[in-house]
Amino acid sequence: MIRILTDSTSDISLSRAAQLGVEVLPLTVLFGEESFRDGIDITSEEFYDRLSKVDTLPTTAQIPPETFIDAFQRLTADGSQVLGLFISSEMSGTYQSAMIARSIVGEEKISIVDTHTVTFALGLLVETACLLRDQGLSLPELAAELEKLVPRCRLLAVVDTLRYLKMGGRISGVTAVVGGILGISPIISIENGLVISVGKSRGRKAGFQFIRKWLDEKEAIDTSLPVAFGHTNAPKAMEECMAFFQDKTEGAQLCPSNIGSVVGTHVGPGAAGLAYFVKA
């Protein structure tokens, strides 16, 4: 049996993880002196409620090697093998912790793929890994297919507020004020394992139109594979996004997701977007 292990930044709900047969290890979210296991001690709704009241952004702590050692030993005790899919190595030391644990537990039963992504794009890779696992692929075959899919995985989302980008020092106070007055919505993506801005629009709908143009002119969605939609505590915004791109995603398995603490800290509530695989 092949067991798939991910972390809470994949933003896969515990109920969905149970359906997929996936185990999720939590990162730690820190609000000052208070620490919470992501998705266990603090829900997404509670996280965004706390986020709305802070003057300093929360931080996250990576999963330590000891936690991975325990998980790997437990999951392989019955002879099973493990595929690990975790937050981008460029964003967190979690991937390195997993690699250290793998070298200690034994490498023959464990494969780890650096996803170079996070949030519902990471969740999309996990969902796809489960489909491939259920097709009967061996662990080396499964890892090889995921390695091929990682460069094809994309995320594009429209940010609703500039407040948290300003708090995180990613834009200046002047830019935030002017942008707020003009109703500017940045469009974010993930490139080289890090969250970046790829454009801006006047409002969410214009942001979706920016993404549609991106899909039309740069790269089409592979609808033979799943497509994920995500939001930061704004399910209606995600529904708008799903409706807006319905013609682009027809025939694909759709995977909705609530963006959690890692990306949510920097973009704040109200963001919505999609993750997909580019046609090969």
Side-chain angles (χ1 to χ4, degrees):
M1 179 183 292
I2 298 174
R3 299 181 182 275
I4 295 176
L5 183 66
T6 189
D7 63 66
S8 59
T9 71
S10 63
D11 295 328
I12 293 176
S13 68
L14 294 181
S15 60
R16 181 60 179 159
Q19 290 174 354
L20 293 171
V22 169
E23 179 151 342
V24 181
L25 296 178
L27 273 74
T28 300
V29 183
L30 302 163
F31 282 91
E33 298 295 319
E34 293 184 275
S35 65
F36 304 88
R37 289 173 298 170
D38 187 23
I40 297 176
D41 301 324
I42 187 169
T43 65
S44 179
E45 293 76 15
E46 290 168 341
F47 168 78
Y48 285 107
D49 181 61
R50 279 179 167 264
L51 185 66
S52 69
K53 300 170 183 174
V54 300
D55 296 317
T56 303
L57 291 181
T59 58
T60 55
Q62 68 193 53
I63 300 171
E66 294 78 15
T67 299
F68 280 115
I69 290 171
D70 290 343
F72 289 154
Q73 289 177 335
R74 174 169 46 81
L75 293 173
T76 59
D78 63 356
S80 294
Q81 298 173 307
V82 175
L83 174 69
L85 298 169
F86 310 112
I87 179 175
S88 166
S89 62
E90 291 86 358
M91 294 184 191
S92 170
T94 292
Y95 170 83
Q96 188 60 35
S97 289
M99 293 298 288
I100 292 169
R102 176 176 178 261
S103 68
I104 293 171
V105 173
E107 300 181 0
E108 67 280 355
K109 291 185 177 181
I110 303 164
S111 287
I112 300 171
V113 174
D114 190 350
T115 66
H116 298 290
T117 195
V118 71
T119 189
F120 60 102
L122 172 54
L124 179 63
L125 286 166
V126 173
E127 291 268 0
T128 307
C130 290
L131 291 175
L132 294 171
R133 173 201 62 193
D134 295 344
Q135 291 174 13
L137 273 65
S138 67
L139 182 62
E141 291 170 336
L142 187 55
E145 286 301 311
L146 267 294
E147 293 280 5
K148 293 176 188 175
L149 285 172
V150 164
R152 294 172 54 199
C153 188
R154 300 288 188 273
L155 180 149
L156 290 163
V158 183
V159 176
D160 187 59
T161 174
L162 299 176
R163 179 189 176 203
Y164 300 94
L165 291 170
K166 173 183 174 293
M167 289 175 65
R170 293 171 185 256
I171 59 173
S172 69
V174 172
T175 300
V177 171
V178 173
I181 293 171
L182 297 177
I184 297 298
S185 297
I187 294 94
I188 61 169
S189 185
I190 298 175
E191 187 175 293
N192 298 322
L194 296 170
V195 177
I196 63 166
S197 174
V198 293
K200 57 187 177 182
S201 64
R202 295 283 293 273
R204 183 183 295 134
K205 187 171 182 181
F208 292 161
Q209 290 169 341
F210 176 99
I211 295 173
R212 175 177 287 275
K213 185 177 180 182
W214 180 289
L215 297 174
D216 288 338
E217 297 180 357
K218 293 192 176 184
E219 50 196 23
I221 295 174
D222 187 345
T223 54
S224 70
L225 294 166
V227 176
F229 288 86
H231 68 94
T232 54
N233 207 36
K236 288 186 178 179
M238 183 180 71
E239 290 170 11
E240 291 173 17
C241 187
M242 294 177 79
F244 193 90
F245 294 103
Q246 184 175 2
D247 61 319
K248 296 286 190 185
T249 60
E250 190 171 353
Q253 174 189 329
L254 303 183
C255 309
S257 176
N258 192 349
I259 300 170
S261 59
V262 173
V263 172
T265 291
H266 298 288
V267 303
L274 71 163
Y276 57 93
F277 294 105
V278 178
K279 281 186 178 180

